[in-house]
Amino acid sequence: MSTPKQTVLLIGGTGAQGVPIVKALIPGDSYNETSLHSAFEGIDIAFVNLNGFAIGEKAEIYWGIRIFELAREHRVQHFIWGSLASSYKASGYQARFRTGHFDGKAKVADWISAQEIGERGMRWSVLTSCMYLETFAEMLAPAHETIDGGEVVVFKAPVGGGTPPFIYLEDLGKYARWMIENPQRSSGLNLRIATANVGWEEVARSFTEVTGKKAIFRDLSLDEYFASGIFGPADRKVGHSVGHDDDTLQTYRENFSGFWNTWREDVLKRTEKDFELMDEILPERVSSVGEWMRLTGYNGEKSNVLKDYADAGGKKPQ
Ligand SMILES: NC(=O)c1ccc[n+]([C@@H]2O[C@H](COP(=O)([O-])OP(=O)(O)OC[C@H]3O[C@@H](n4cnc5c(N)ncnc54)[C@H](OP(=O)(O)O)[C@@H]3O)[C@@H](O)[C@H]2O)c1
């Protein structure tokens, strides 16, 4: 059955999360107050994934709310917020889980969730995602080490036995498409998506099953993780596109300590109920890390996933 033609504005459309949504829909434009006014002209549907690493938590909260307001001003019919859950809030505000790039998006999601839908308001949905499985080919790519004379693929992370949710990006695009095509069901819904809750022992085991290569998981302390240089100097501030004379910006060490504490202690997980809804929406969804490895031909080699990361030459941008 053909659907009437509609126009979609997609912010963050050149990024890892945006590209599969663009593929599933159509391309759009970027933002700031002036360009947003012209970008929203004639737009029916907006999917908005702001870049907290570029602008920091404070600006993400402001722009998330402001972009929603501008969308409504321009009579956008359906606003979809690309979100992340807050472990800081979910833990009852325990400091060791504070993660700016979660909390900015989550605060905007809470604010959006208080907005009226109907005659006076705009239809909204929240798409709460999680780490991309594709990250195993980039920031979480394994090392190749010689152990007892044999080559071993070593997956390393400061995660212990934690099993955080991961999402296959192509499925993320399909969930966004479902929201647009099923407004009666997606309106007012915060859809918490994931392929599965994934532990690193399972990652190593699945890798061996799929590739036949020996693989292990090695747990790291946070000090070992930051000493690996993954973020360059970990004491610089998050927010590569804004001035750093701002005390509200976390450092990479602070932000990613909260991030890994969250996963190590399993503060944010998808529930049976979440997976039941996902099975109903996308029965063909990829549902395990092993299935994802098989489907995509994952071999542990590095490839480009995050635009920011590639733009900065393989490090989190300055
Ligand atoms: N990595 C993950 O596993 C993961 C998972 C879930 C959610 N997220 C969230 O997704 C967001 C990043 O999006 P992504 O995953 O698609 O990353 P990405 O591949 O690095 O893409 C970054 C996007 O942000 C845009 N951007 C860069 N600098 C900007 C600026 N100063 N102002 C506005 N936009 C800017 C880029 O557009 P240009 O073409 O202009 O450069 C691009 O569209 C972050 O907030 C992150 O927390 C990440």
Side-chain angles (χ1 to χ4, degrees):
M1 199 172 76
S2 70
T3 46
K5 189 172 177 295
Q6 293 178 303
T7 313
V8 178
L9 168 68
L10 205 147
I11 291 171
T14 57
Q17 189 173 134
V19 166
I21 297 169
V22 171
K23 275 199 209 155
L25 295 165
I26 54 164
D29 211 333
S30 191
Y31 67 95
N32 71 37
E33 181 95 11
T34 312
S35 63
L36 279 165
H37 273 291
S38 65
F40 274 124
E41 206 54 58
I43 293 297
D44 299 307
I45 297 157
F47 178 91
V48 179
N49 176 39
L50 297 194
N51 188 339
F53 289 111
I55 60 178
E57 180 188 355
K58 185 170 72 178
E60 184 161 26
I61 296 166
Y62 173 80
W63 279 111
I65 292 174
R66 184 70 190 125
I67 288 173
F68 182 99
E69 290 173 345
L70 287 168
R72 173 63 184 144
E73 222 181 89
H74 285 271
R75 295 299 182 261
V76 166
Q77 291 166 24
H78 192 169
F79 186 94
I80 304 176
W81 175 245
S83 197
L84 290 169
S86 167
S87 45
Y88 184 42
K89 179 178 174 185
S91 70
Y93 298 100
Q94 297 183 52
R96 70 180 183 285
F97 300 119
R98 184 157 176 254
T99 307
H101 81 275
F102 292 167
D103 299 344
K105 287 189 188 328
K107 284 168 185 157
V108 176
D110 283 350
W111 181 87
I112 289 174
S113 301
Q115 301 309 303
E116 265 185 59
I117 299 178
E119 255 173 47
R120 279 164 31 88
M122 169 173 64
R123 184 186 305 141
W124 57 259
S125 309
V126 176
L127 184 60
T128 297
S129 70
C130 49
M131 273 189 283
Y132 311 145
L133 276 169
E134 287 76 358
T135 314
F136 282 113
E138 198 173 56
M139 293 180 74
L140 300 176
H144 297 264
E145 296 185 11
T146 303
I147 300 175
D148 297 333
E151 191 186 306
V152 180
V153 173
V154 186
F155 290 88
K156 304 178 199 178
V159 70
T163 57
F166 274 89
I167 182 71
Y168 173 37
L169 277 169
E170 286 203 11
D171 282 351
L172 182 153
K174 290 175 187 170
Y175 288 115
R177 186 177 182 127
W178 174 87
M179 285 183 149
I180 290 166
E181 291 180 344
N182 296 273
Q184 323 78 349
R185 293 212 45 207
S186 68
S187 185
L189 177 71
N190 183 341
L191 182 63
R192 292 152 40 94
I193 59 169
T195 298
N197 297 316
V198 180
W200 263 247
E201 294 287 2
E202 182 189 353
V203 171
R205 199 172 51 248
S206 300
F207 185 81
T208 299
E209 280 167 17
V210 171
T211 65
K213 293 181 185 160
K214 183 163 186 202
I216 59 168
F217 161 55
R218 186 179 301 145
D219 192 18
L220 299 178
S221 67
L222 283 173
D223 282 343
E224 286 169 322
Y225 176 72
F226 290 119
S228 72
I230 188 157
F231 299 115
D235 288 329
R236 69 196 164 79
K237 290 186 167 176
V238 170
H240 62 79
S241 300
V242 291
H244 285 179
D245 57 343
D246 177 348
D247 286 342
T248 72
L249 292 173
Q250 283 188 305
T251 63
Y252 273 91
R253 183 182 296 272
E254 289 165 343
N255 186 93
F256 280 94
S257 294
F259 179 87
W260 286 110
N261 287 339
T262 298
W263 305 136
R264 179 181 279 273
E265 298 183 45
D266 273 338
V267 181
L268 297 176
K269 291 179 70 143
R270 296 298 179 260
T271 62
E272 283 304 313
K273 215 170 148 211
D274 293 326
F275 287 115
E276 269 170 33
L277 183 54
M278 286 183 267
D279 285 337
E280 188 198 326
I281 291 172
L282 205 61
E284 75 278 17
R285 73 183 185 86
V286 171
S287 61
S288 72
V289 65
E291 185 187 349
W292 170 78
M293 286 177 177
R294 253 188 210 94
L295 179 75
T296 60
Y298 176 74
N299 59 10
E301 298 304 322
K302 285 201 167 192
S303 62
N304 284 342
V305 182
L306 297 176
K307 184 170 186 297
D308 267 3
Y309 197 70
D311 287 353
K315 283 217 166 22
K316 267 290 178 192
Q318 305 282 343

Short mmCIF file of all heavy atoms in Angstrom, two decimals, residues 9 15 37 42 55-56 101 114 118 146 157-158 160 166 221 228 237 256 276 279 289 305 316:
data_model
loop_
_atom_site.label_atom_id
_atom_site.label_comp_id
_atom_site.label_asym_id
_atom_site.label_seq_id
_atom_site.Cartn_x
_atom_site.Cartn_y
_atom_site.Cartn_z
N LEU A 9 13.01 15.91 8.15
CA LEU A 9 14.28 16.56 8.47
C LEU A 9 15.04 15.63 9.41
O LEU A 9 14.52 15.20 10.42
CB LEU A 9 14.04 17.89 9.20
CG LEU A 9 15.28 18.52 9.84
CD1 LEU A 9 16.26 18.98 8.78
CD2 LEU A 9 14.90 19.66 10.76
N GLY A 15 26.01 10.91 10.48
CA GLY A 15 26.69 10.14 11.51
C GLY A 15 26.34 8.67 11.48
O GLY A 15 25.52 8.20 10.69
N HIS A 37 15.15 27.49 11.39
CA HIS A 37 13.89 28.07 10.91
C HIS A 37 13.66 27.70 9.45
O HIS A 37 12.57 27.29 9.08
CB HIS A 37 13.89 29.60 11.08
CG HIS A 37 13.41 30.02 12.44
ND1 HIS A 37 12.10 29.87 12.83
CD2 HIS A 37 14.06 30.59 13.48
CE1 HIS A 37 11.97 30.31 14.08
NE2 HIS A 37 13.15 30.76 14.49
N GLY A 42 8.11 23.57 5.97
CA GLY A 42 7.51 22.52 5.14
C GLY A 42 7.85 21.09 5.58
O GLY A 42 7.62 20.14 4.83
N ILE A 55 28.92 19.23 21.45
CA ILE A 55 28.44 20.47 22.08
C ILE A 55 28.34 20.40 23.61
O ILE A 55 28.13 21.41 24.24
CB ILE A 55 27.07 20.89 21.48
CG1 ILE A 55 26.00 19.82 21.68
CG2 ILE A 55 27.22 21.22 20.00
CD1 ILE A 55 24.61 20.21 21.15
N GLY A 56 28.52 19.22 24.21
CA GLY A 56 28.47 19.10 25.67
C GLY A 56 27.04 19.01 26.18
O GLY A 56 26.08 19.35 25.48
N HIS A 101 27.04 12.52 28.36
CA HIS A 101 26.44 12.27 27.05
C HIS A 101 25.21 11.37 27.14
O HIS A 101 24.48 11.23 26.17
CB HIS A 101 27.48 11.76 26.04
CG HIS A 101 27.81 10.31 26.09
ND1 HIS A 101 28.75 9.78 26.93
CD2 HIS A 101 27.32 9.26 25.37
CE1 HIS A 101 28.84 8.48 26.73
NE2 HIS A 101 27.98 8.12 25.79
N ALA A 114 6.82 15.34 28.85
CA ALA A 114 5.81 16.14 29.56
C ALA A 114 5.02 17.04 28.61
O ALA A 114 4.16 17.80 29.04
CB ALA A 114 6.50 17.00 30.64
N GLY A 118 -1.69 16.23 20.68
CA GLY A 118 -3.10 16.46 20.36
C GLY A 118 -3.27 17.82 19.74
O GLY A 118 -2.36 18.32 19.09
N THR A 146 50.12 -12.39 20.81
CA THR A 146 50.67 -13.74 20.78
C THR A 146 50.73 -14.24 22.22
O THR A 146 51.38 -13.64 23.06
CB THR A 146 52.07 -13.75 20.14
OG1 THR A 146 51.95 -13.17 18.84
CG2 THR A 146 52.61 -15.17 20.02
N ALA A 157 38.01 -4.39 27.88
CA ALA A 157 37.15 -3.26 28.30
C ALA A 157 37.06 -3.28 29.82
O ALA A 157 37.17 -4.35 30.44
CB ALA A 157 35.75 -3.39 27.69
N PRO A 158 36.81 -2.12 30.44
CA PRO A 158 36.66 -2.07 31.90
C PRO A 158 35.23 -2.41 32.31
O PRO A 158 34.56 -1.61 32.96
CB PRO A 158 37.04 -0.63 32.24
CG PRO A 158 36.68 0.15 31.02
CD PRO A 158 36.83 -0.77 29.84
N GLY A 160 34.10 -5.87 33.32
CA GLY A 160 33.90 -7.05 34.18
C GLY A 160 32.85 -7.98 33.59
O GLY A 160 32.85 -8.29 32.40
N PHE A 166 23.35 -3.45 23.45
CA PHE A 166 23.97 -3.01 22.19
C PHE A 166 22.92 -3.07 21.09
O PHE A 166 22.05 -3.94 21.11
CB PHE A 166 25.10 -3.97 21.78
CG PHE A 166 26.43 -3.67 22.40
CD1 PHE A 166 26.77 -4.23 23.63
CD2 PHE A 166 27.35 -2.87 21.75
CE1 PHE A 166 28.01 -3.97 24.20
CE2 PHE A 166 28.60 -2.60 22.32
CZ PHE A 166 28.92 -3.16 23.55
N SER A 221 41.11 -2.28 34.39
CA SER A 221 40.69 -1.26 35.37
C SER A 221 40.47 0.04 34.58
O SER A 221 40.93 0.18 33.44
CB SER A 221 41.79 -1.05 36.41
OG SER A 221 42.92 -0.46 35.77
N SER A 228 45.46 3.60 28.01
CA SER A 228 45.63 3.07 26.65
C SER A 228 45.61 4.19 25.61
O SER A 228 45.94 3.97 24.45
CB SER A 228 44.51 2.07 26.33
OG SER A 228 43.27 2.77 26.15
N LYS A 237 38.40 18.23 28.18
CA LYS A 237 36.94 18.23 28.35
C LYS A 237 36.20 17.71 27.11
O LYS A 237 36.66 17.90 25.98
CB LYS A 237 36.47 19.64 28.69
CG LYS A 237 36.91 20.03 30.10
CD LYS A 237 36.35 21.35 30.53
CE LYS A 237 36.57 21.51 32.03
NZ LYS A 237 36.12 22.83 32.51
N PHE A 256 33.57 9.05 30.84
CA PHE A 256 33.67 7.62 30.53
C PHE A 256 33.91 6.75 31.76
O PHE A 256 33.78 5.53 31.67
CB PHE A 256 34.70 7.38 29.42
CG PHE A 256 34.10 7.68 28.08
CD1 PHE A 256 34.24 8.93 27.50
CD2 PHE A 256 33.32 6.74 27.43
CE1 PHE A 256 33.64 9.24 26.29
CE2 PHE A 256 32.71 7.02 26.21
CZ PHE A 256 32.88 8.28 25.64
N GLU A 276 10.11 -8.06 24.13
CA GLU A 276 8.80 -8.51 23.58
C GLU A 276 8.26 -7.49 22.58
O GLU A 276 7.79 -7.86 21.50
CB GLU A 276 7.78 -8.65 24.72
CG GLU A 276 7.74 -10.04 25.32
CD GLU A 276 6.90 -10.07 26.59
OE1 GLU A 276 5.92 -9.30 26.67
OE2 GLU A 276 7.26 -10.85 27.49
N ASP A 279 10.33 -7.54 19.41
CA ASP A 279 10.00 -8.71 18.57
C ASP A 279 8.73 -8.47 17.78
O ASP A 279 8.60 -8.90 16.64
CB ASP A 279 9.83 -9.96 19.44
CG ASP A 279 11.16 -10.50 19.94
OD1 ASP A 279 12.19 -10.21 19.30
OD2 ASP A 279 11.16 -11.21 20.97
N VAL A 289 24.68 -11.08 19.49
CA VAL A 289 25.94 -10.58 18.94
C VAL A 289 26.51 -11.58 17.93
O VAL A 289 27.09 -11.19 16.91
CB VAL A 289 26.95 -10.24 20.07
CG1 VAL A 289 27.38 -11.46 20.86
CG2 VAL A 289 28.16 -9.52 19.52
N VAL A 305 33.18 3.85 11.82
CA VAL A 305 31.78 3.83 12.25
C VAL A 305 31.35 5.26 12.57
O VAL A 305 30.46 5.82 11.93
CB VAL A 305 31.59 2.94 13.50
CG1 VAL A 305 30.12 2.90 13.90
CG2 VAL A 305 32.14 1.54 13.24
N LYS A 316 38.97 10.13 19.89
CA LYS A 316 37.84 11.02 20.18
C LYS A 316 38.30 12.45 19.91
O LYS A 316 39.39 12.85 20.31
CB LYS A 316 37.40 10.87 21.65
CG LYS A 316 36.29 9.84 21.77
CD LYS A 316 35.03 10.40 21.16
CE LYS A 316 33.87 9.44 21.18
NZ LYS A 316 32.76 9.91 20.32
#
